[in-house]
Amino acid sequence: MTRPIILASGSETRQAMLRQAGVDFTSKLARIDEDSIKASLLAEDATPRDVADALAEFKARRVAQQHPEALVIGSDQVLEVGGAILSKPVTAEDAIAQLSLMSGKQHKLLSAVVIYEDAKPVWRTVGQVRLTVRTLSPDYIESYVARNWEDIRHCVGGYQIEAEGARLFARVDGDYFTVLGMPLLDVLGYLTMSGAIDG
């Protein structure tokens, strides 16, 4: 009998990716203090890649401890611009400030996945995408945030590239699924190879 698969995330986008790929899973929100974990890692000069990986592992571990019989997928995404890590905007003003900071520049999205089986880590990866934001006018940034705030308030960087956010960009170098928050093809490859899904 195959193991149940649990996505340790409340992200509707990650859930939709797995569902649309035909993966049978349930989702469970991993209750961790992301801000304090991130702050302690940054205080130790952790790289953005290490931060994304650690947050994904914390999520997977928390749910795997409660469901050791399951294959648990933990995932997290970090945005790096100019050496700084941006978090999800708390207010519309935060989103405007983040988009203003990224205007005319390149930034990186790092989407990490850690998979647990028998309450132990068995696989991990970090996908990386480079995105170049057009030079945006202040008026457009403000109107974009006003129109889209309810959809972008849970998005690091304050945009959804699968919606009007596509207009913010001049170039995207890398995997589209990784931009959405999970390197889906790598995850599906592991799930298939391990026998967790048919393939």
Side-chain angles (χ1 to χ4, degrees), residues 117-180:
E117 286 185 46
D118 298 318
K120 296 190 294 287
V122 295
W123 184 84
R124 66 201 323 128
T125 191
V126 181
Q128 179 176 297
V129 181
R130 294 179 185 276
L131 303 96
T132 304
V133 177
R134 293 188 302 105
T135 299
L136 307 169
S137 71
D139 286 348
Y140 179 72
I141 292 173
E142 287 187 21
S143 63
Y144 168 78
V145 171
R147 278 192 302 277
N148 295 282
W149 173 243
E150 285 307 314
D151 293 323
I152 64 174
R153 62 189 304 171
H154 304 297
C155 302
V156 63
Y159 63 81
Q160 283 184 317
I161 200 168
E162 66 271 31
E164 186 189 341
R167 291 171 55 185
L168 304 173
F169 295 94
R171 184 179 176 88
V172 176
D173 295 299
D175 172 60
Y176 178 68
F177 296 114
T178 298
V179 178
L180 297 185

Side-chain angles (χ1 to χ4, degrees), residues 87-92 94-96 98 149 152-158:
S87 299
K88 295 171 186 173
V90 177
T91 64
D94 282 345
I96 290 168
Q98 290 188 4
W149 173 243
I152 64 174
R153 62 189 304 171
H154 304 297
C155 302
V156 63

Side-chain angles (χ1 to χ4, degrees), residues 28-134:
K28 185 171 177 62
L29 187 63
R31 302 205 176 276
I32 64 169
D33 187 345
E34 290 189 40
D35 290 337
S36 67
I37 293 168
K38 195 182 294 184
S40 67
L41 289 166
L42 293 175
E44 297 171 7
D45 294 324
T47 66
R49 180 187 179 93
D50 290 342
V51 171
D53 178 73
L55 289 170
E57 175 146 12
F58 271 103
K59 290 178 180 179
R61 182 189 307 148
R62 174 59 56 88
V63 173
Q65 287 169 344
Q66 299 163 345
H67 299 277
E69 78 289 352
L71 183 153
V72 179
I73 302 169
S75 186
D76 200 85
Q77 185 179 64
V78 164
L79 187 155
E80 178 196 2
V81 58
I85 292 179
L86 298 188
S87 299
K88 295 171 186 173
V90 177
T91 64
E93 289 71 27
D94 282 345
I96 290 168
Q98 290 188 4
L99 290 168
S100 299
L101 175 66
M102 294 186 292
S103 176
K105 298 181 189 149
Q106 187 181 83
H107 66 270
K108 286 194 292 191
L109 282 175
L110 301 121
S111 294
V113 176
V114 177
I115 293 180
Y116 267 58
E117 286 185 46
D118 298 318
K120 296 190 294 287
V122 295
W123 184 84
R124 66 201 323 128
T125 191
V126 181
Q128 179 176 297
V129 181
R130 294 179 185 276
L131 303 96
T132 304
V133 177
R134 293 188 302 105

